[in-house]
Amino acid sequence: MAETSATTETGEPASRPRKSSWKYIGPGIVVAATGVGAGDLVATLVAGSKFGYTLMWAAVIGCLVKISLAEAAGRWHLATGRTLFDGWRSLGAWTTVYFAIYVVIWGFLYGATAMSSSALPIVALFPDGPGLKFWAILTGLTGLAFVWFNRYAVFEKVMTVLVGIMFVVVVYVAARVVPDMGASFAGLVPVLPDGSLLYTLGLIGGVGGTITVAAYGYWVNAKGWSNSSWMKVMRLDNRVAYLTTGVFVVAMLIVGAELLHASQIALTSGDRGLIDLGKVLEDRFGPSTATLFLVGFFATSFSSLIGVWHGVSLMFADFVERFRIPEDRQKEHAGPETVDRQQRSRPFRAYLLWLTFPPMTLLWLDEPFGLVIAYGVLGAFFMPFLALTLLWLLNSSRTPGEWRNGWVSNGMLALAGLLFVVLCVQQVRELPW
C-alpha cells in the first residue's frame, strides 16, 4: 500500500487505511487464547451445571466487554504510537508503583498455577508415567525455551494451532451432548436465579479477562501494525477473536448444562474439575472422547502459559525501559522494531526466568498465606485498573481527537470498570483473611 506524504501526530508517516482482511487475523487470537485458562473452563462448567442455560446472556455480555477492553488497548497503541505502560506512566507515579508490585507477586504465583494446570491433563493421559511435579516443571521449561528462542511470528502460529485444537474439541464435545436449542435461546433473556449473582459476574468478567488483555497492544505492534492506518484491521482481528471466545464459552456452558446439570454431578474446585469432566465423558461417550477432551484441556492450559510467558514479559520489558529513560527523552514510536528489541532485552528474559524457576518451589510447598492474600488483592484490582485507566487515557488530550472514545466506548469501559470493581470487592471479601 502506497504511503502518503502526511504524518501522524506522533511524527510517523501516515498510511492510507488498510482494508480489513481475514489474512491479517492474529494478535486477537493470541490474547483471547491466553485469557481463557483451565480455571475459566471450570467456572463456566460450574455455572452451567448449577443454572443450566439460564446465564447464557452473561456469557454474551462478557464477550462484548472483552471486545471493548481489548479494542481500547489496541486503539491506544495505534492512535498514539505509545505503549500502554507509557500511557499509564503519564497518569502519575502511582501507576508505576502499582504495576511493579503487581507484576512481581502475580508472576510468582501465576507461574506455578500455569505449570500445574498444563501438567494435569498430561498426568491424566499418562497415569503410569511421572507425577505432576515432573510434568509441571517440563511444561514450564518448554514454555521458557519456546518463548526465549522464537519471535512473535512463530509464537502466533503456534498459538493459532492451539486455539484451533481448543475450539474444535470443545465444540465437538458440546455437539456430542446434544444442546437444547430452545433453552439456549431462552437463556439469552437476562435472568438472575437465586444464588447466581457471583456466577453471573464471573461469567461476564472472568473468562478471557486477565492482565493479558493489556498485552494486546504489544502484540498488535509485534504484528507490524504501528499507526492508525491499521485501526480497521485491528478491530476486525479483535472482534473475530472474542467472538470465537464467545462460542467457546457458550459451548462449555452447554456441556455444563447438559452433562452435569441434568445429572446433578458436582466438579472438584479448581483445574482438577476438568479431570472429573474427563471421567464423566469417558463413562458417557467412551475413552476416545475423554482423550480428545484432555488434549483440548492441555491446549487451553499451555496456550495460556506461553501467552503469559511472552505477553507479560513484553510488558515488563517495556516497564523497565520506560522507567530507565526520562519521559522527555522517550520519542521512539512503538512498532515492531521496538517489540523485537524488547524481546531480546535482559528485562524480557529476566521476567521469563522469574515466571519459570522461582514458582517451581511452590510445587512442593503450600502457597504462603501472605502471598495468597497479596495475589488475591492485587489480581482483583488489576481489571478495574485497566478499564478505568483506559477510560481516562482515551478521553484525554493524550489521544488524538479522531481516536478518542465515543459514547459507545465510554459506556462499555464504564460498565467494565463498574463490573470489575464489584468483582474486586467480592474477591477481596472471599479471601482467607
Side-chain angles (χ1 to χ4, degrees), residues 197-198 201 376-385 388 416-433:
L197 180 60
L198 184 59
L201 291 173
V377 172
L378 288 169
F381 274 95
F382 185 80
M383 292 305 282
F385 169 80
L388 297 174
L418 178 62
L419 166 71
F420 291 129
V421 166
V422 174
L423 274 172
C424 171
V425 172
Q426 186 63 37
Q427 284 179 259
V428 171
R429 285 176 58 191
E430 290 190 349
L431 286 170
W433 296 99

Side-chain angles (χ1 to χ4, degrees), residues 12-43:
E12 284 286 300
S15 305
R16 295 190 184 95
R18 266 73 172 183
K19 190 174 181 181
S20 303
S21 173
W22 293 92
K23 70 180 181 181
Y24 293 126
I25 299 298
I29 294 293
V30 171
V31 73
T34 304
V36 179
D40 297 307
L41 298 192
V42 174

Side-chain angles (χ1 to χ4, degrees), residues 106 108-114 116 359 361-373 375-376 432:
W106 182 88
F108 180 52
L109 287 173
Y110 180 83
T113 302
S116 296
T361 59
L362 296 180
L363 299 174
W364 277 270
L365 303 172
D366 290 331
E367 294 173 351
F369 183 78
L371 276 176
V372 171
I373 297 296
Y375 174 74

Side-chain angles (χ1 to χ4, degrees), residues 43-345:
T44 308
L45 279 168
V46 170
S49 68
K50 286 183 176 292
F51 303 103
Y53 293 94
T54 309
L55 300 181
M56 189 75 76
W57 63 272
V60 174
I61 291 178
C63 181
L64 296 176
V65 167
K66 302 312 178 312
I67 287 174
S68 301
L69 276 171
E71 188 275 341
R75 176 155 46 95
W76 166 264
H77 275 248
L78 295 181
T80 66
R82 302 168 70 185
T83 65
L84 187 53
F85 185 78
D86 197 9
W88 284 339
R89 192 181 177 200
S90 73
L91 299 179
W94 65 275
T95 59
T96 300
V97 174
Y98 171 77
F99 185 78
I101 297 171
Y102 173 82
V103 80
V104 171
I105 296 176
W106 182 88
F108 180 52
L109 287 173
Y110 180 83
T113 302
M115 287 185 274
S116 296
S117 179
S118 297
L120 277 171
I122 304 177
V123 173
L125 284 167
F126 305 103
D128 298 325
L132 182 72
K133 294 183 181 68
F134 172 85
W135 289 116
I137 291 171
L138 184 61
T139 57
L141 293 176
T142 302
L144 170 69
F146 174 75
V147 174
W148 189 292
F149 293 109
N150 287 290
R151 294 293 172 260
Y152 176 77
V154 176
F155 166 71
E156 183 190 286
K157 287 181 174 65
V158 171
M159 289 290 278
T160 303
V161 170
L162 292 172
V163 169
I165 295 171
M166 290 164 51
F167 187 83
V168 168
V169 167
V170 170
V171 171
Y172 168 75
V173 172
R176 286 297 303 269
V177 302
V178 190
D180 182 335
M181 299 307 294
S184 299
F185 285 111
L188 295 175
V189 178
V191 174
L192 275 178
D194 290 342
S196 68
L197 180 60
L198 184 59
Y199 295 96
T200 302
L201 291 173
L203 269 180
I204 296 173
V207 180
T210 67
I211 186 176
T212 51
V213 175
Y216 180 55
Y218 292 85
W219 285 322
V220 161
N221 289 155
K223 182 74 169 175
W225 309 345
S226 57
N227 57 46
S228 58
S229 69
W230 291 99
M231 203 69 76
K232 286 185 178 179
V233 175
M234 181 273 292
R235 284 171 168 162
L236 175 65
D237 170 72
N238 176 45
R239 288 165 188 166
V240 168
Y242 277 102
L243 287 174
T244 302
T245 302
V247 172
F248 190 79
V249 173
V250 166
M252 291 305 288
L253 263 178
I254 289 170
V255 173
E258 292 292 342
L259 201 60
L260 306 177
H261 181 64
S263 307
Q264 295 298 299
I265 297 171
L267 298 180
T268 305
S269 62
D271 299 348
R272 291 182 182 275
L274 294 181
I275 301 297
D276 294 348
L277 179 60
K279 293 174 182 175
V280 173
L281 288 169
E282 183 172 2
D283 292 341
R284 179 85 172 266
F285 301 113
S288 59
T289 298
T291 299
L292 186 64
F293 175 75
L294 290 171
V295 171
F297 176 5
F298 173 76
T300 302
S301 298
F302 193 65
S303 65
S304 290
L305 186 152
I306 62 174
V308 166
W309 263 229
H310 189 274
V312 184
S313 296
L314 264 183
M315 293 182 70
F316 182 76
D318 185 54
F319 161 73
V320 173
E321 184 172 290
R322 305 290 162 182
F323 186 72
R324 284 176 174 173
I325 303 171
E327 197 168 352
D328 59 358
R329 288 174 49 204
Q330 294 177 17
K331 304 296 184 184
E332 182 180 20
H333 188 277
E337 299 81 9
T338 305
V339 174
D340 190 58
R341 185 190 67 249
Q342 289 175 342
Q343 285 179 115
R344 297 192 305 268
S345 69

Side-chain angles (χ1 to χ4, degrees), residues 72 75-76 80 82-91 385-400 403-405 413:
R75 176 155 46 95
W76 166 264
T80 66
R82 302 168 70 185
T83 65
L84 187 53
F85 185 78
D86 197 9
W88 284 339
R89 192 181 177 200
S90 73
L91 299 179
F385 169 80
L386 175 62
L388 297 174
T389 53
L390 282 171
L391 196 61
W392 187 349
L393 289 169
L394 292 168
N395 281 290
S396 72
S397 59
R398 297 172 182 85
T399 305
W403 301 113
R404 289 178 198 163
N405 277 359
L413 288 178

